[in-house]
Amino acid sequence: MMALPAACALFALGEEVVILTADLDFAPAAGAMKLLGLALVFSLLGWFYMAAVIVPARQEKSALLAISIASVVNVSLNFLLIPAFKEAGAALATLLADLVTCLACYFLAKKSARLLPSGKKLASILLGCLYVTGSCWNLSVEVDRSRN
C-alpha cells in the first residue's frame, strides 16, 4: 500500500531528490530516478507474491525460473540500452526486469491465492497516490519559485 504513493513521490520529485542527495551536476539522472521509482512498485509486488504465496506453496523451482528469466532480461537489456541511453537505459532495463518478475510471480501465485485487493483498498491506495503526487508537485513548484 505504501509502494505506490512512494513511487508517485519519487516520480514527482525526481529532480529534487537527486539534487538534494547528490548535486546539481547529477540533475540529468532524475529520469532514471523516476523509472526506478516505478520499478520499486513491481519489485515489491513480485517479492510479495514470491514470499507470501509461491514459497509457502512449495513452488521454489518456478520462482527460481522466474527470477532467472528476469535476470537474463536485465543483463541483455543493459547491454542494449546502456550504450544508447546511459543511466536511463540501466534504469529502464531494471524496470522491465522487475516487471517480468512481477508478472511471472503473479501468474504463478494466482493458482494458489486470491491476489487482487478489494475495491475499497484499491481506491484508498489511488487516493493516496493522488494526494502524494499533488503535494509533491506543489512542493516542486515552491522550490522552483524559491530558486528564481
Side-chain angles (χ1 to χ4, degrees):
M1 288 180 67
M2 298 293 289
L4 284 173
C8 288
L10 274 177
F11 198 82
L13 293 175
E15 187 173 325
E16 287 80 1
V17 170
V18 170
I19 291 169
L20 182 66
T21 58
D23 195 320
L24 195 56
D25 296 336
F26 290 91
M33 172 73 80
K34 292 177 180 186
L35 289 173
L36 291 173
L38 188 55
L40 170 71
V41 174
F42 294 120
S43 178
L44 289 174
L45 282 172
W47 171 82
F48 170 76
Y49 295 142
M50 191 168 307
V53 181
I54 295 171
V55 171
R58 298 186 168 277
Q59 295 179 350
E60 292 94 345
K61 287 182 183 177
S62 299
L64 177 62
L65 179 62
I67 292 172
S68 298
I69 291 169
S71 297
V72 169
V73 166
N74 194 1
V75 171
S76 301
L77 287 176
N78 274 313
F79 277 113
L80 293 172
L81 297 174
I82 289 176
F85 302 106
K86 302 191 179 8
E87 70 276 349
L92 182 59
T94 300
L95 170 64
L96 293 173
D98 283 339
L99 179 62
V100 167
T101 303
C102 181
L103 289 174
C105 289
Y106 171 79
F107 287 112
L108 288 169
K110 192 170 135 177
K111 299 173 188 173
S112 304
R114 180 179 172 266
L115 300 172
L116 297 176
S118 67
K120 201 175 203 180
K121 283 186 182 178
L122 192 56
S124 174
I125 292 168
L126 293 177
L127 281 173
C129 289
L130 287 174
Y131 178 76
V132 165
T133 302
S135 299
C136 289
W137 274 332
N138 186 38
L139 179 63
S140 180
V141 167
E142 292 299 322
V143 168
D144 287 343
R145 193 176 299 153
S146 70
R147 276 193 234 163
N148 296 331

